[in-house]
Amino acid sequence: AVVMLSRLTEEDAEVTIKALEAGAVDFFLKPSMVDKGGLSNAIAGLNDKIKMAGRVDISRVVRALRRGTSHYRGAESLLAPSTRISGPRPQRNVVIIGSSTGGPKALCEIVPGLPRDLPASILIVQHMPMGFTRSLARRLAQLSQVEVREAAFGDKLKVGQALVAPGNYHMVIGGADDVSLNQEPARNGVRPSIDVTMESVAANAGYRCIGIVLTGMGSDGKNGAAAIKKSGGIVIAQDEPTSVIYGMPRSVAECGCADKVLPLHQITQEIVELCKAKTANNPWRELDACGT
């Protein structure tokens, strides 16, 4: 198990993202100039990450991932022509993907396999500091057919686009599909919080929500998944064998909020199939055809 140590510079952030993609369990942001107390806290944080990494059964995860290598990376399209949508309301489906420890590698498996004509907007919440989320978005953009970038003030949901929540900011959407960022208090000890984003999407998108909770420590995403279920949406949790840390997805599965618990390599296909089904059953389609 590998824990990457990195400085907060653009160059080091990109190297860290590649290390996580290659299989590093987690990374630690090295303090630059801190007082004695700050250094003690930093050392304690590093110790925690090392102990956590020591509990990860890397061989189990590697075996599970090798057995299920995705066949969907680079697919031209997984949608039949009849399911492609256009018109004034294309952003009817919203996919929210939440992840933490082990998340960058999982995201590099899922997002590149999504076809460019996926009838959905995508929101990604990865627990990471500011700067590293920008590098993560750039790496995903290099690998993916859908447009990927870090979210910014004034963004709107857009079909075929994935927005990554910036480090240190919660990402929420409004009724007009506006994307906003805020620095309200951390939830579950993190900012950005998966719960915050999922709850806002559930409140504004209802049954159009598809929530995905991937590998990570803690329970961030559990309350958000409950909100999505209550609104009529669908929730998928990553399974234990393919999770580096089976914490967040376990909390979703154990509270009864997961419609499906799937290995990592099956999640991309499931997202596509759900978007196809929701698009085919979209009650707005006839109104959109009339220009309403």
Side-chain angles (χ1 to χ4, degrees):
V2 174
V3 176
M4 179 76 173
L5 276 69
S6 178
R7 297 176 299 172
L8 187 53
T9 67
E10 183 172 339
E11 179 182 356
D12 289 309
E14 301 214 354
V15 171
T16 299
I17 296 302
K18 290 181 179 179
L20 294 170
E21 181 188 350
V25 172
D26 203 350
F27 76 99
F28 175 77
L29 184 59
K30 295 188 291 187
S32 52
M33 296 179 65
V34 293
D35 57 27
K36 187 174 181 179
L39 182 58
S40 298
N41 291 334
I43 292 172
L46 176 58
N47 287 341
D48 289 342
K49 287 181 180 286
I50 292 172
K51 291 176 181 177
M52 177 274 297
R55 294 193 294 268
V56 175
D57 186 348
I58 289 295
S59 60
R60 169 187 60 78
V61 177
V62 169
R63 286 195 302 270
L65 291 175
R66 284 178 177 169
R67 283 197 302 269
T69 300
S70 175
H71 298 290
Y72 304 101
R73 188 184 301 272
E76 285 301 315
S77 175
L78 296 181
L79 301 179
S82 61
T83 65
R84 297 176 189 167
I85 59 175
S86 59
R89 286 185 179 139
Q91 59 268 45
R92 284 294 141 190
N93 301 316
V94 184
V95 177
I96 315 101
I97 305 175
S99 54
S100 188
T101 308
K105 184 172 180 62
L107 292 170
C108 287
E109 172 72 16
I110 291 175
V111 180
L114 297 174
R116 62 176 59 88
D117 59 357
L118 185 75
S121 302
I122 306 157
L123 300 175
I124 298 171
V125 182
Q126 165 68 41
H127 296 161
M128 269 187 166
M130 185 181 298
F132 288 87
T133 47
R134 183 178 301 111
S135 294
L136 174 63
R138 287 175 181 168
R139 181 57 181 158
L140 290 172
Q142 291 171 353
L143 299 172
S144 304
Q145 299 180 66
V146 296
E147 176 191 354
V148 186
R149 60 183 179 82
E150 189 180 52
F153 290 95
D155 277 335
K156 284 184 173 290
L157 293 182
K158 178 182 174 183
V159 165
Q161 175 180 265
L163 296 176
V164 178
N168 204 32
Y169 284 88
H170 294 308
M171 178 170 62
V172 300
I173 69 163
D177 288 338
D178 296 314
V179 178
S180 61
L181 307 171
N182 68 68
Q183 290 187 311
E184 292 181 4
R187 289 271 299 275
N188 305 301
V190 291
R191 189 172 61 202
S193 164
I194 302 164
D195 278 342
V196 169
T197 300
M198 284 187 167
E199 288 168 2
S200 76
V201 175
N204 289 284
Y207 75 94
R208 299 183 285 122
C209 301
I210 301 171
I212 317 292
V213 180
L214 303 177
T215 173
M217 295 181 65
S219 61
D220 191 27
K222 181 177 76 172
N223 292 338
I228 289 175
K229 288 291 294 179
K230 186 175 181 180
S231 72
I234 294 175
V235 175
I236 299 169
Q238 186 177 352
D239 72 354
E240 183 172 8
T242 62
S243 295
V244 173
I245 301 290
Y246 192 56
M248 298 190 320
R250 182 198 296 274
S251 71
V252 172
E254 290 184 348
C255 76
C257 293
D259 292 283
K260 291 189 177 183
V261 178
L262 298 176
L264 183 64
H265 64 276
Q266 292 182 12
I267 293 177
T268 296
Q269 183 184 24
E270 189 66 23
I271 292 172
V272 173
E273 294 300 325
L274 289 172
C275 287
K276 286 170 62 176
K278 285 180 175 289
T279 299
N281 297 321
N282 191 343
W284 292 101
R285 284 173 65 85
E286 292 184 7
L287 292 176
D288 285 342
C290 298
T292 303

